Amino acid sequence: MTRTVYVNGEYLPEDQAKVSIFDRGFLMADGVYEVTSVLDGKLVDFDGHAVRLQRSLDELHMAAPISKEDLLAVHRELLRLNDVTEGMVYLQITRGAPDDRDFVFPDAETTPATVVLFTQNKPGLANSPEAKSGMKIISIEDMRWGRRDIKTVQLLYPSMGKMMAKKAGADDAWMVQDGYVTEGTSNNAYIVKGNKIITRALSNDILHGITRAAVLRYAQEAQMEVEERNFTIDEAKEADEAFITSASTFVMPVVEIDGVSLGEGVPGRVAPRLREIYLDESRKAAV
Ligand code: PLP
């Protein structure tokens, strides 16, 4: 089945959807994005993603080209047209396509933003075998720019990090800055020591994960202790457990860091429990 995608107000077959070669997303990575997961044909935490999108746009001085209500309608229409019950919706907004390449921002009056959305059908996403076996990660230096709190499409370094992990026989990389773990290539990073969940505090150094916010809330509601502070890779290697969170992986246990097995080398008690709670609550609240 050919996927139907959304480009600037139109629903089109994916092979007919086009964006200009002068689009600033293409030439300058001048764009922001969101990925919203889909469970039971519904959107998980759409509100959270809409709020973060607005913040990303504000930080880059871009006007929102579409209202939150219309955005929700487009998400839902794409799910319907593509018959998606489990998977993701990808949304990207760029500063549009001026007449020529120029470092100066184009006038928003004459250069409308480019809005693109498409679905990714992933049956079995919630039942991923990786959640049972756990992930292996390596550590790499964090060489990204200083505004990682803005969800921009500058994903070259995270993509290179993922390739470094694959080459090393691992699943993902955690990035380290000044000796402390920032986050994973496309996820937030956590360790567990005793009954305590430890994760880096929010700042410009990491993306403010929508899944992170929900998981920390559920953890506290379940009487687990949460400590938001820096941790090193050495501390992580000695942790009882570790895990990541993101919209597309939910909560995923980590069982190995730089070749060192955590605990018994299999998912522990906390990460699988949090995954279960997160999936249950997300299904209930999905729209
Ligand atoms: N950190 C980074 C660098 C990411 O790219 C992502 C998701 O893409 C996350 C964290 C997790 O964010 P969310 O839970 O909103 O998907």
Side-chain angles (χ1 to χ4, degrees), residues 47-144:
D47 263 353
H49 289 283
V51 168
R52 184 173 63 189
L53 174 67
Q54 187 59 54
R55 180 177 180 278
S56 294
L57 291 169
D58 290 346
E59 292 296 313
L60 297 179
H61 312 291
M62 279 169 68
I66 180 168
S67 72
K68 185 176 153 190
E69 292 70 32
D70 288 349
L71 211 46
L72 177 58
V74 175
H75 276 75
R76 285 178 164 160
E77 181 63 358
L78 283 178
L79 293 182
R80 191 186 70 77
L81 290 168
N82 294 291
D83 203 15
V84 178
T85 52
E86 212 161 286
M88 282 99 76
V89 181
Y90 178 87
L91 148 74
Q92 179 168 325
I93 298 178
T94 75
R95 207 182 302 272
D99 293 341
D100 202 355
R101 181 176 181 271
D102 192 341
F103 279 77
V104 175
F105 289 177
D107 183 349
E109 294 290 315
T110 49
T111 303
T114 302
V115 183
V116 168
L117 285 94
F118 56 82
T119 53
Q120 293 184 288
N121 197 13
K122 305 264 178 193
L125 186 67
N127 239 332
S128 144
E130 211 172 30
K132 307 238 161 26
S133 56
M135 302 169 61
K136 296 179 182 178
I137 59 135
I138 58 164
S139 60
I140 59 172
E141 190 67 25
D142 197 336
M143 292 175 54
R144 298 173 298 163

Side-chain angles (χ1 to χ4, degrees), residues 173-209:
W174 279 7
M175 294 176 281
V176 176
Q177 172 177 285
D178 300 330
Y180 295 103
V181 173
T182 51
E183 58 189 334
T185 58
S186 57
N187 45 70
N188 290 114
Y190 309 74
I191 57 173
V192 181
K193 198 81 191 161
N195 196 30
K196 199 183 288 173
I197 296 163
I198 301 159
T199 193
R200 193 178 177 107
L202 296 181
S203 70
N204 291 353
D205 295 334
I206 62 168
L207 187 74
H208 302 188

